[in-house]
Amino acid sequence: MTISRRRALSTLALVPAGLAMPGIVRAQNAPAAGVPRYPVPHVTLITHSSPGGGGDVMGREMIKHLPQIMGVTMAVENVSGAAGARAMTRIATGPTDGSVVYITTPTHVNTAIMSRPPHGLEHLQALVNIFFDPQYLMVRNESPHKTAAEMIAAARANPGRQRWGATLPSALERQLVEQVKRAASINVTAVTHDGGGDMLINVLNGSLECGIGELQEVLGQIEARRLRLIGVFAPQRVPATPDVPTMREQGVNIVAEKFRGLATARNFSPAAIAAWEAAIPKLVEVPAFKDWITKSALVNAFMKHEEAKAFEARFVASQREFFREMGITTRG
Amino acid sequence: MTERTHTRRDLVSGIVMLGVAGLYWIEAGKLEISFLDDEVTVRGFPNLLAYALGLFAIALIVQSVIVLVRHRPPAGESLADPETRRRHGMAIGLLAFAVGYVLLAPIIGYVLAATLLIAAAVWWQGARLHWTIIPAALAGAIVLWAVFVRLLGIQLPPGLWF
Amino acid sequence: MTGLSVAWTTLTGTWALPAALMGLVWGIIGGALPGISASITIALLLPFTFGLDPTIAIIMLASAYVGAEYGGSIPAILIRTPGTNSAAATAIDGYEMHKQGRSGEALGLSLVAGTIGGLIGIFMLILLAEPLADIALAFTPPAYFSLGLLGLSVIATLSEGSMIKGFITGTLGLMIASVGPDPVSGVTRFTYDSPELLGGIRPIVVMIGIFAVAELLSQAGQPPWDRSSAQTRIKLPSLRTLWSLKRSLLLGSGIGVFEGVTPGAGGTVAAFLSYNEAKRWSANPELFGKGSPEAIVAPEAANNTVAGTALVPTMSFGIPGSNSTAILLGGMLLHGLQPGPMLFEKHPDFVYGVFSGLVMANLLQFPVGIIILTPCIWLVNRPKPWLMSYILALVLTGVYAVDHSLFDVALCIFFGVLGYLMRLFGYPFLPMVLGVILGRLVESQYRRALAISGGEHAIFVTDPISLGLLIACALLVSYSLYTTYLRPARDAAEARPESPSTN
C-alpha cells in the first residue's frame, strides 16, 4: 500500500554472467591505464535504496566515471531493508581496507536515532560529503500564490488554515515545515504522506495549498505547467532552476541540509580516505557527470573527511534535538 | 452461526482474544504522543482496534455461552483423542524442523540447513528411511540455491563456515 | 494514427519481441516463487536493463510486471501459497480445485482470465489514459479512506460461518498492520526497538505464513492424498465455459480498471473485491470456497487488469500506484525518461513502443503459460512427504529473499502457527489478509483527511467520491448482514412447521 520509494529487496547489481544478453549489456567499469590505483583493486558501493531509488541511481552514475579516476573496478550493491539498519551493519562489520563504502543520506542517521539498530552511528564515520539535495516549496498552477513570501503572508493572515504537504513524518521535509513555522511565526497544518507521489496528487487536486519535495519527482508536472516551484531551501539559487528564488531571499532563513555523501566503518584506511578526497573533486568535473548533477538538481557540496565528520556531528546533534523537542524519541 | 462442536473452543478463543485486546490496549497506552502528532494521535487507531477486538471477543463469548447453556452441545474432538494428538504432534514436529532451520542457517549456511530441513521433513512425514534421502535433499537445496542466488542474484544466508 | 505505425516499427525493427518474451518469462518465474513479489521481480531485472535502449528496457520491465501478476496464481492454486500479494484471493478456490484433482482446469482458467484481463487493462491504458488519469487526480484523502473501508467491508462476506470471528481476525490483521512508524508523527509503534520491525510487517510474510506454512503444518498429520484421478495436464476452458463465466470476467476487469488507476489501492484489493462481487452476482454462490471457476476467473481478471491500468498514473503523472509501478518509474528515470503529462507529447515513440510491447507480452503469456504449467502440475503430483518438504524449503527460502532477513522467516513461521490455530478454532483468515493489507491505507488516509479538513468529519460526506464509496460500503455490509442473519432466520421460520430448528 505504501507508495514510498522504499523497495523490497537487496540485489547484487553485478549481472550474473550467464544471464547477460550478448552485445546489449556493456561493462562500464573497466579502469583506464596509467591512473593511480586505489588501496584495493575492487570497491563496492553499498546503498540502502533498492534499484531505481535515489542512492542507487547516484551510485550507478558514480561508477560510470570513478573507476577511470581511481584505477579500480566498482559495483553498486543494494542492501535495502530496515531503513538502512542492514546496510549499517554491513559497513560496520565489513573490511576497513577501502573495499566497502556506504552511499549515505539522512535516512540512516534518523534510523540510528529513532531505533536501536545493531550497528549505529558509533560504528560509522562520514568519509566525504558530495551533494545537497535541495528541497522546493511547490504549488499547483491554479494557486493564487506566486512566491513563497506571498504564501507565508497568506498563512499569517489565516492562521491554521493552510495545509502544507510533506512526505514521511521522519523525513527532512516534515522538519522543514516546523522550521518554517517557527522562523516565520506562522501556524500551518502539516500533512504527512507515504511518499512524494502521494503528496503530489494532493497538491495537484487542491487538497493542499503547497508541498515540500524534490525536483526529480515533479519535473514532469513542471514541464506540463501543472505545478510551480515558489521557493528553494538552499543557500543560493540552484543551477537547474535559476528562476526559483531561495527561501532566504524571501525572508525565511532556512536551508535544508539533505546531504548525499559517503560513509565507512571506523578505522578506515587513511590512504583510502586520501584517495577519495582526491577523487570526488575530479568526479564532479567530468562533463557527463556534471550534466547528470544539473539534471538531477543536485548542489555540489564537497567536504573533505574532517569537514564531513564535523558536518555530520552537527547534523546528528540537530536531528537528535529536533526529535527530542518534538517528542518523537526520548533517547539520545 | 458457529457449528456446535466449535462452541467450547469459541468460548476459549473469545477469552484469549479479550486478553489480546487488553494487552494491546495497555501497550497502545504506552505510545508516546509527539508534538508532530494530530488530534487522533499515535494511540487513536490502536485504541480503536483494541476496543473493537474487545467488543467482538465479548460478543463471541456471549454467543457461545448462550449456545452452551441452551443447547448443551456435545464436546467436539478433544485433545485426549489419540488421532487428534497424533495430528498435532506431526505439526509440532514439522514446526520444530522449521525453527531449527532458522537457528542453524546463520551458522552452517543455507545449503546445509536447507538439506537438513528437507531430509528431516521427508523422514518425519513418513517417507521410507533410506540413504537416498540425503542426496535427494541436497539436490533440492542446491536447485533452490541456484534459482535464488544464481538466477535471481539474491543472496541466501551464508553461514559462518561457508 | 501515427501511434500504430510507431507500435509496428517498434515490434518489427528492434529487440522488442525478445525483450518482451524474456521479461515475461522472468516475471512468471519471479511471480511464481513465493515471497518474490511483482515489485521484487522487477527490481531484480532492473540492473539487467542498463545499457539497453530505453523503450526496450521499459518493455522488458513492464512485461516482467505482466508476467509476475499472472505467475503469482500458479503457486496459489498448486500449493496454496500466493506467489504475490494479489494472488491471495485466487488461493481460496484455486487450491480447492487442486485438492479435487482439477489442477489443470484451475490453471487453465487463471491463464485465460489473466490473459483476457491483461489485454483489457492494456487497451484501457491505450484508449483511455487521459480520462482515467483524471479519475486518479479526483481521489482525495477522504475518498481513499472510503475506498479502503470498502475493501474492509468485504470482510463481512468473506467470513464464512462466523461473522464475529471474521471481524476478530480482520481486527487482528489491522493490528498487525499497525506495527511500524505512525503515519503522522513518525513515532514507532510496537517495534520494541527492533530495526527489523522498523518498516512494519510485510503483508507477504503474513500471507505466506497463514496460507502456506499453516497448510503444511496441518497437512503433516493428514494421510497421503489420492491423486489417481488427478489431471496431469493443463485444461483450457472451452469457449462455452468462458461464455458462462463472462460475468465474473467483466466484473473482475471492471473493478481492475478502477483500482488500477487509483494509486495506492492495487491488485490485491481489486482481487478481493472482485471475488466478493462475483460471488454476490453468481448463480451458484454456494460453490464459492469449494472450487468455483468463477472464484478464480474474477480475481485473476482483476489483478491482471490492474497491471495495465496501474500504468495510467505512473506514465501520465509520474505517480506510482504500487511498489511495482514505483520500480517501473525508477526504471524510466534511470533510462532518462521523465514520466508525466508531457511524456505522451515528448516521447510518443516510447509510449507507443511500450504499449505495443505490453500487448505482445499479454499475448505471449498464453503460449508461455501453457508450456510452463504442465511441468508445474507434474511437480506437485510427486509423493506427498517429498512434495511437502520441498515446498517448506521453498517457502522459507522465498520469505528470506523478501528482505534478506531470517527474522522475517521466523515471523512467517509464527504466522504459520497462528494460521494453524485459527484453523483449529474455526477462524477465517481472509479477513486478516485484508486487514494487514489495508490497515495502513485506512489509518493514514483517515488522519490525512482530518488534517486537511481541520478535524471536521463532514469531509467524508462532502467529498462526492467518498460519499459514493461510503454508500456502496453501507449497502455491502447490510446485504451481508441480511444474508447471514436475517435470511436464514426467515427461512428457518418458514421451515419450522415441518422440522424443528436445529440451530
Side-chain angles (χ1 to χ4, degrees):
Chain A
M1 290 299 103
T2 54
I3 311 183
S4 70
R5 285 163 189 245
R6 171 175 63 85
R7 288 281 153 56
L9 169 105
S10 325
T11 166
L12 265 174
L14 286 172
V15 179
L19 277 159
M21 280 182 297
I24 321 184
V25 179
R26 312 188 285 283
Q28 282 169 323
N29 51 7
V35 288
R37 286 189 72 89
Y38 187 66
V40 287
H42 184 77
V43 181
T44 304
L45 299 180
I46 306 276
T47 168
H48 57 242
S49 67
S50 327
D56 178 67
V57 174
M58 173 168 149
R60 289 180 200 286
E61 288 297 327
M62 286 169 68
I63 65 170
K64 285 183 188 168
H65 312 291
L66 268 178
Q68 289 85 339
I69 297 170
M70 301 178 77
V72 294
T73 56
M74 280 193 173
V76 174
E77 188 182 331
N78 309 79
V79 182
S80 57
R86 208 158 285 138
M88 281 193 271
T89 297
R90 176 71 193 272
I91 296 294
T93 56
T96 55
D97 58 359
S99 55
V100 206
V101 172
Y102 183 23
I103 302 173
T104 54
T105 61
T107 304
H108 79 288
V109 173
N110 287 354
T111 300
I113 295 175
M114 292 176 66
S115 73
R116 284 186 189 139
H119 297 90
L121 298 172
E122 67 280 11
H123 298 98
L124 306 184
Q125 59 173 353
L127 173 58
V128 291
N129 191 54
I130 309 179
F131 301 120
F132 280 147
D133 226 339
Q135 306 292 307
Y136 290 87
L137 195 62
M138 53 188 76
V139 296
R140 65 170 174 166
N141 207 35
E142 295 87 343
S143 166
H145 310 299
K146 302 289 177 209
T147 61
E150 281 179 39
M151 187 90 219
I152 286 167
R156 200 168 284 133
N158 300 291
R161 301 299 293 275
Q162 276 190 5
R163 292 134 323 169
W164 289 30
T167 56
L168 300 173
S170 59
L172 222 56
E173 290 89 327
R174 176 68 187 84
Q175 298 172 27
L176 283 174
V177 180
E178 293 306 315
Q179 288 171 331
V180 172
K181 277 164 79 171
R182 208 178 299 173
S185 337
I186 53 171
N187 182 19
V188 298
T189 305
V191 183
T192 49
H193 292 78
D194 297 326
D198 217 11
M199 182 194 79
L200 186 54
I201 290 192
N202 287 334
V203 174
L204 286 172
N205 68 23
S207 298
L208 304 169
E209 270 73 27
C210 65
I212 298 178
E214 284 160 30
L215 186 63
Q216 185 89 63
E217 289 182 325
V218 299
L219 215 51
Q221 308 297 328
I222 307 256
E223 284 175 348
R225 299 188 175 282
R226 288 184 179 221
L227 210 62
R228 281 184 283 120
L229 305 175
I230 58 172
V232 58
F233 294 89
Q236 295 99 33
R237 292 193 179 199
V238 176
T241 53
D243 302 334
V244 180
T246 63
M247 294 304 283
R248 193 177 276 174
E249 284 175 56
Q250 306 187 64
V252 183
N253 191 7
I254 290 172
V255 170
E257 292 180 317
K258 188 160 182 180
F259 64 85
R260 290 197 189 195
L262 301 174
T264 62
R266 297 274 160 115
N267 311 322
F268 196 65
S269 146
I273 293 176
W276 280 100
E277 286 180 332
I280 297 296
K282 287 183 196 157
L283 173 69
V284 296
E285 289 306 319
V286 175
F289 195 73
K290 243 180 160 167
D291 286 349
W292 175 77
I293 297 174
T294 312
K295 215 181 80 195
S296 313
L298 291 170
V299 175
N300 277 324
F302 173 64
M303 295 176 207
K304 289 190 159 193
H305 179 54
E306 288 305 325
E307 195 188 345
K309 262 168 61 178
F311 167 77
E312 196 203 62
R314 263 202 322 277
F315 184 83
V316 170
S318 75
Q319 289 301 95
R320 280 222 164 96
E321 179 61 24
F322 180 80
F323 285 132
R324 196 170 28 222
E325 250 177 62
M326 293 297 150
I328 296 172
T329 173
T330 46
R331 242 174 279 126
Chain B
M1 300 299 114
T2 38
E3 290 171 38
R4 273 199 195 172
T5 48
H6 272 151
T7 313
R8 276 170 222 278
R9 288 185 190 174
D10 283 358
L11 184 59
V12 173
S13 64
I15 293 167
V16 171
M17 286 304 148
L18 196 58
V20 171
L23 202 67
Y24 187 80
W25 181 74
I26 292 171
E27 289 297 303
K30 291 183 192 160
L31 294 172
E32 288 162 29
I33 295 178
S34 97
F35 290 105
L36 296 184
D37 224 328
D38 56 3
E39 286 166 28
V40 180
T41 80
V42 63
R43 293 178 199 163
F45 188 60
N47 277 339
L48 179 75
L49 294 179
Y51 299 145
L53 187 62
L55 195 74
F56 297 140
I58 290 171
L60 186 65
I61 292 170
V62 170
Q63 189 192 40
S64 48
V65 167
I66 290 175
V67 174
L68 278 175
V69 170
R70 268 206 207 148
H71 302 281
R72 304 196 170 278
E77 50 170 17
S78 93
L79 267 181
D81 175 20
E83 170 56 21
T84 315
R85 288 172 70 146
R86 190 195 64 85
R87 273 198 281 119
H88 293 321
M90 288 299 287
I92 291 169
L94 201 62
L95 177 68
F97 297 139
V99 172
Y101 164 79
V102 175
L103 297 177
L104 279 180
I107 302 166
I108 62 175
Y110 172 76
V111 173
L112 268 188
T115 306
L116 286 180
L117 172 69
I118 296 173
V122 167
W123 161 73
W124 182 249
Q125 295 185 82
R128 206 159 39 86
L129 204 52
H130 193 261
W131 65 270
T132 48
I133 285 183
I134 295 292
L138 182 66
I142 288 174
V143 167
L144 283 175
W145 180 86
V147 169
F148 280 88
V149 179
R150 282 281 137 199
L151 183 68
L152 296 176
I154 298 172
Q155 289 166 315
L156 292 171
L160 293 176
W161 303 343
F162 293 93
Chain C
M1 184 174 156
T2 54
L4 270 182
S5 65
V6 172
W8 180 250
T9 331
T10 310
L11 275 186
T12 51
T14 63
W15 282 86
L17 209 57
L21 182 64
M22 212 180 134
L24 182 79
V25 173
W26 178 282
I28 294 179
I29 295 174
L33 288 171
I36 312 288
S37 63
S39 55
I40 297 176
T41 308
I42 305 167
L44 288 172
L45 188 59
L46 194 51
F48 291 82
T49 67
F50 301 143
L52 292 182
D53 169 73
T55 309
I56 303 300
I58 302 303
I59 287 179
M60 200 162 164
L61 293 171
S63 303
Y65 180 31
V66 169
E69 283 298 335
Y70 164 68
S73 72
I74 301 174
I77 292 170
L78 292 178
I79 60 177
R80 201 171 184 252
T81 305
T84 54
N85 284 349
S86 55
T90 314
I92 315 167
D93 284 68
Y95 188 71
E96 266 326 299
M97 286 182 85
H98 169 67
K99 279 202 296 195
Q100 298 163 12
R102 294 154 73 199
S103 336
E105 190 187 340
L107 289 168
L109 284 168
S110 87
L111 178 62
V112 172
T115 307
I116 294 176
L119 286 172
I120 291 177
I122 303 299
F123 283 115
M124 294 309 265
L125 168 69
I126 296 174
L127 297 174
L128 298 173
E130 274 180 57
L132 285 177
D134 290 336
I135 297 184
L137 260 199
F139 264 74
T140 54
Y144 272 118
F145 166 75
S146 305
L147 183 66
L149 215 56
L150 181 67
L152 283 179
S153 70
V154 173
I155 288 178
T157 33
L158 282 184
S159 15
E160 281 303 311
S162 166
M163 206 184 278
I164 294 179
K165 286 175 170 176
F167 286 139
I168 288 180
T169 49
T171 312
L172 286 176
L174 292 167
M175 287 176 167
I176 293 167
S178 73
V179 174
D182 173 68
V184 172
S185 67
V187 172
T188 53
R189 296 191 290 209
F190 312 115
T191 59
Y192 303 101
D193 278 336
S194 156
E196 304 279 357
L197 286 173
L198 207 55
I201 298 174
R202 292 182 194 281
I204 192 79
V205 175
V206 182
M207 274 193 233
I208 293 184
I210 59 178
F211 278 99
V213 177
E215 172 74 11
L216 290 169
L217 290 180
S218 40
Q219 279 292 345
Q222 305 290 339
W225 47 61
D226 175 28
R227 277 290 159 73
S228 50
S229 64
Q231 289 167 342
T232 52
R233 303 188 76 87
I234 175 167
K235 180 169 170 281
L236 294 173
S238 67
L239 283 178
R240 188 196 300 266
T241 315
L242 269 185
W243 184 247
S244 71
L245 294 170
K246 60 182 182 301
R247 191 155 47 192
S248 311
L249 263 174
L250 289 177
L251 270 174
S253 284
I255 292 172
V257 170
F258 176 71
E259 293 282 341
V261 297
T262 49
T268 319
V269 180
F272 275 107
L273 275 176
S274 310
Y275 181 93
N276 199 40
E277 290 310 303
K279 182 177 178 186
R280 185 193 320 282
W281 299 102
S282 167
N284 306 304
E286 72 282 356
L287 289 181
F288 276 66
K290 301 187 182 70
S292 164
E294 290 171 288
I296 292 176
V297 166
E300 277 305 302
N303 65 36
N304 281 277
T305 305
V306 167
T309 51
L311 291 173
V312 171
T314 312
M315 289 176 78
S316 50
F317 293 127
I319 297 170
S322 63
N323 285 328
S324 320
T325 47
I327 292 171
L328 268 182
L329 183 77
M332 291 188 204
L333 292 175
L334 265 174
H335 286 283
L337 291 156
Q338 181 63 55
M342 301 302 282
L343 183 70
F344 289 76
E345 285 170 39
K346 277 167 59 186
H347 301 285
D349 49 333
F350 167 77
V351 173
Y352 288 100
V354 170
F355 286 171
S356 58
L358 281 170
V359 172
M360 198 43 63
N362 269 286
L363 292 175
L364 286 172
Q365 177 175 305
F366 197 66
V368 169
I370 292 177
I371 296 169
I372 285 182
L373 289 175
T374 301
C376 287
I377 302 178
W378 180 84
L379 272 178
V380 296
N381 280 315
R382 296 308 92 209
K384 189 182 159 196
W386 289 96
L387 178 67
M388 290 296 151
S389 309
Y390 283 128
I391 292 177
L392 182 62
L394 170 67
V395 161
L396 297 186
T397 311
V399 171
Y400 177 83
V402 172
D403 227 352
H404 280 198
S405 162
L406 278 168
F407 180 86
D408 278 355
V409 182
L411 209 55
C412 177
I413 295 173
F414 166 79
F415 284 114
V417 174
L418 185 66
Y420 184 85
L421 291 174
M422 279 163 68
R423 200 179 277 208
L424 191 64
F425 284 85
Y427 281 79
F429 44 75
L430 291 171
M432 179 176 272
V433 172
L434 275 173
V436 173
I437 289 171
L438 288 169
R440 199 175 161 83
L441 175 87
V442 169
E443 183 191 8
S444 67
Q445 299 287 5
Y446 173 74
R447 293 172 68 178
R448 203 167 294 148
L450 284 187
I452 283 170
S453 72
E456 294 294 332
H457 280 83
I459 192 171
F460 295 106
V461 290
T462 52
D463 183 288
I465 297 182
S466 169
L467 180 64
L469 290 168
L470 284 178
I471 291 173
C473 182
L475 288 174
L476 227 144
V477 174
S478 30
Y479 181 82
S480 308
L481 285 170
Y482 169 74
T483 51
T484 318
Y485 290 108
L486 290 178
R487 198 156 66 188
R490 196 192 59 196
D491 293 351
E494 281 169 7
R496 199 157 291 154
E498 291 85 46
S499 62
S501 168
T502 50
N503 195 6

